[in-house]
Amino acid sequence: MTNSQVKQAIDETIGREPLMDEAFVQKVLQKKQRKKPLPFLQPAIVVLLMLLVGAVLYFTPNQTIQAVEIESAYLEENHQQLVADFYEAIIQEDKKALAKISPVNSEQAYKRYSIFEFNNPVEVIKTIDTEKSITLFLKLQANDIDYLDELVIDKESEIIELDVMKSMVLYTENIELPKEFLLEYKEAPYAPVLENMELNLDGAEVKQVNDHILYQIPTEEGTWRVFETPEGKRLDLNVASDQPTVIITGTNNQFYIIDSKTNEATYIYRNKEGEYQIVIGQLEGTNVMTFDDDFHDEPLLFMSGSTPKAITTEQGHLIYADIFEHSELTNPQVFYHAERIGTHLLVEYVEDSKQTSTYYQFTAKDVLLDYRRIGMLEAKPEHFTDMSIANRYNDQLIYIFNDNTIHYRGNSLSGELIEETYTNIQIETKDNQYFITGDNGFSWTLSRTAPRILKDEKGIEYTVPVNFDDYPE
């Protein structure tokens, strides 16, 4: 039946007057005659579309952008990415992603970091790399205030550990070392005694120490050290590393047991009642050096590290003071390190990219005063006679003073060798400062901050090969 015949039939059925023109009828019939695709073609079309999309994605460059950027010259790329993924999982509140990285409680972690902005790169301020883990201190910002976050990466499991109950501390770049340390001495604790306990000495090392005995017993955690007195008491010295032990005795009532791997020192002292007191700390190397001074009748010993101690005896008992205990240190205490230099204490503040330090001297048994405040860092023009000074962190950058001339030698950022000469050098001094001028407007101010340390106006530190205070008058 043609389109005209259909139109005529409709018209005759409804009435004599045509209700539809022929063009409209043809349009309706074309819609009715459109065939549906065969059922088996639909999956095929889907598969083809998926292959097409896959091909586009495969050949399209990766456009994924990590939302959190970690800035550090001291971390491997995989650890930088691990930390970035940790923060990203928290920002996105992605429990599954977070669980793969850290065992931290997700809800507590979300709350902890809710105030922080991650628009700028997260800067790693300090790293502490040990055999089993890396401790990171990272600068986070909230409302223009800088905080320090502390994360620990377990090297074996590649898991991030975080103590969410530990509050973050404020961070400032403009740190200043204390002007003095006020010490509070306490009586040293007594060594714990093992009561009625049999020791398994299989494989143990037994050392005779004067009329005492040191047992070093291997365990899964390390070497367990037990000290036996002539009366048969056995003192528990705790577990240390499995490396060799250095034993030093003073008189028969003083013993220093030093772990050669960690430099951890156990100082044992037999007091006037015959009881054994004990202080644990760190020494620089395996040398025990005590010194006498006018302010105290008994020798003093410094223990170093980030928890330095001053140790001495008083009325036949061992006493000690935590040097940092009552000082308001800027930023965490682990950023600070102390060591003994002669009769002085050198305290250093160390980030991964900068360091500053100051010497301290006893002015009384319980006072360590900034060396510079004692007036012993006087600057003199003759200090730079035929003298060289080197950048403290790059000994390839060196200045040589000779015959009213300064010769500079160093490398540019691109590695290009740079050599400069500054002539007609004049040096004036005041207190601990050197005011250095020369031709062509050359000007340089250096300050003595320690016997062999200088600092310029930009805060850059330099070292000299000798102590200026050893110069003859």
Side-chain angles (χ1 to χ4, degrees):
M1 182 179 288
T2 66
N3 291 347
S4 298
Q5 290 172 329
V6 171
K7 174 182 179 298
Q8 184 179 351
I10 294 172
D11 289 343
E12 290 175 353
T13 303
I14 299 175
R16 292 189 178 184
E17 294 297 324
L19 298 177
M20 299 180 238
D21 62 29
E22 190 169 344
F24 176 77
V25 172
Q26 184 160 345
K27 187 176 182 182
V28 171
L29 289 174
Q30 284 177 349
K31 285 188 176 181
K32 284 189 171 289
Q33 290 171 356
R34 188 172 296 152
K35 295 180 179 179
K36 294 183 179 179
L38 294 175
F40 70 85
L41 288 179
Q42 290 181 342
I45 293 172
V46 172
V47 171
L48 287 172
L49 287 173
M50 290 177 65
L51 289 173
L52 180 61
V53 172
V56 171
L57 291 175
Y58 181 83
F59 290 104
T60 300
N62 186 3
Q63 300 296 324
T64 301
I65 299 176
Q66 179 64 52
V68 179
E69 181 182 348
I70 306 301
E71 185 178 283
S72 174
Y74 300 89
L75 283 183
E76 299 290 339
E77 287 187 11
N78 62 316
H79 287 150
Q80 289 191 41
Q81 188 63 47
L82 179 65
V83 176
D85 291 344
F86 172 77
Y87 286 130
E88 182 67 18
I90 291 172
I91 294 169
Q92 301 298 333
E93 297 191 4
D94 188 337
K95 290 186 178 181
K96 289 184 178 180
L98 184 59
K100 294 178 181 179
I101 300 172
S102 174
V104 67
N105 180 288
S106 58
E107 297 302 328
Q108 289 178 323
Y110 301 156
K111 184 176 180 182
R112 177 184 178 88
Y113 293 102
S114 62
I115 66 170
F116 293 105
E117 305 132 20
F118 291 90
N119 301 324
N120 298 320
V122 176
E123 184 179 353
V124 179
I125 300 298
K126 183 175 178 63
T127 55
I128 302 175
D129 198 336
T130 65
E131 184 178 347
K132 295 183 179 181
S133 66
I134 304 174
T135 301
L136 308 178
F137 293 89
L138 307 103
K139 183 172 71 173
L140 303 182
Q141 193 174 76
N143 301 319
D144 295 328
I145 300 174
D146 292 331
Y147 295 83
L148 274 180
D149 193 18
E150 182 178 347
L151 304 178
V152 179
I153 299 177
D154 183 278
K155 289 183 176 179
E156 182 177 358
S157 63
E158 295 286 293
I159 291 294
I160 291 180
E161 299 169 357
L162 166 68
D163 184 358
V164 292
M165 304 308 294
K166 186 176 181 180
S167 300
M168 293 189 197
V169 297
L170 297 179
Y171 168 74
T172 177
E173 295 181 352
N174 302 317
I175 77 103
E176 185 175 344
L177 290 168
K179 299 301 182 187
E180 63 182 6
F181 292 100
L182 302 178
L183 309 185
E184 179 186 353
Y185 285 88
K186 294 165 278 192
E187 188 168 353
Y190 290 86
V193 178
L194 297 173
E195 300 284 358
N196 303 320
M197 182 176 179
E198 291 295 326
L199 299 179
N200 181 4
L201 299 179
D202 292 341
E205 181 182 354
V206 182
K207 285 187 178 181
Q208 191 74 33
V209 185
N210 293 350
D211 52 353
H212 295 68
I213 300 173
L214 177 65
Y215 300 99
Q216 301 194 85
I217 305 167
T219 70
E220 292 183 358
E221 293 78 21
T223 299
W224 182 27
R225 293 174 181 160
V226 178
F227 199 58
E228 186 174 298
T229 72
E231 298 80 17
K233 285 185 179 180
R234 287 178 172 175
L235 311 178
D236 184 0
L237 303 188
N238 216 328
V239 174
S241 82
D242 55 3
Q243 296 301 306
T245 296
V246 177
I247 303 173
I248 300 172
T249 59
T251 60
N252 198 43
N253 63 344
Q254 296 179 66
F255 307 90
Y256 303 90
I257 299 173
I258 306 169
D259 188 304
S260 61
K261 179 180 181 180
T262 63
N263 284 338
E264 183 177 87
T266 302
Y267 177 31
I268 306 171
Y269 178 77
R270 184 171 181 167
N271 63 26
K272 65 179 183 180
E273 282 87 17
E275 300 292 335
Y276 290 80
Q277 294 178 269
I278 186 171
V279 174
I280 298 175
Q282 279 194 320
L283 294 174
E284 298 294 323
T286 55
N287 295 321
V288 176
M289 297 179 63
T290 59
F291 66 95
D292 302 309
D293 217 313
D294 298 336
F295 54 79
H296 188 55
D297 295 334
E298 301 293 337
L300 280 106
L301 169 70
F302 279 130
M303 283 190 172
S304 60
S306 60
T307 55
K309 298 177 177 67
I311 305 171
T312 188
T313 56
E314 191 171 69
Q315 298 178 358
H317 285 78
L318 188 67
I319 59 174
Y320 76 101
D322 291 315
I323 293 173
F324 292 163
E325 182 179 15
H326 296 295
S327 295
E328 294 182 1
L329 300 178
T330 307
N331 298 335
Q333 184 171 316
V334 72
F335 283 48
Y336 296 80
H337 179 275
E339 62 180 291
R340 171 187 167 159
I341 305 294
T343 60
H344 298 86
L345 185 75
L346 175 63
V347 178
E348 301 168 307
Y349 174 90
V350 182
E351 293 184 10
D352 284 340
S353 59
K354 72 177 182 180
Q355 174 179 327
T356 185
S357 60
T358 294
Y359 282 81
Y360 294 84
Q361 184 178 20
F362 276 111
T363 55
K365 185 185 72 171
D366 56 354
V367 179
L368 278 165
L369 191 63
D370 186 331
Y371 195 56
R372 292 166 293 181
R373 297 185 66 182
I374 305 173
M376 299 180 70
L377 289 175
E378 183 182 0
K380 299 178 181 179
E382 56 266 30
H383 287 164
F384 288 124
T385 303
D386 296 327
M387 179 57 63
S388 65
I389 70 173
N391 185 292
R392 189 172 186 181
Y393 310 107
N394 183 356
D395 58 9
Q396 301 301 310
L397 305 178
I398 190 168
Y399 296 83
I400 299 174
F401 290 73
N402 177 260
D403 194 22
N404 297 329
T405 303
I406 297 177
H407 304 278
Y408 167 76
R409 181 184 177 90
N411 291 325
S412 67
L413 293 175
S414 62
E416 179 186 359
L417 178 65
I418 298 176
E419 293 184 288
E420 299 283 354
T421 299
Y422 308 103
T423 56
N424 195 25
I425 294 299
Q426 305 294 320
I427 302 175
E428 296 183 4
T429 61
K430 181 180 180 182
D431 298 330
N432 69 325
Q433 289 188 301
Y434 306 85
F435 303 96
I436 305 168
T437 57
D439 287 343
N440 300 319
F442 177 78
S443 176
W444 198 20
T445 300
L446 294 171
S447 301
R448 291 188 68 189
T449 61
R452 293 177 51 196
I453 304 295
L454 303 169
K455 182 185 291 187
D456 67 14
E457 310 98 308
K458 297 179 181 178
I460 300 172
E461 290 190 319
Y462 304 86
T463 61
V464 292
V466 296
N467 182 352
F468 287 151
D469 296 322
D470 293 338
Y471 269 48
E473 294 292 337

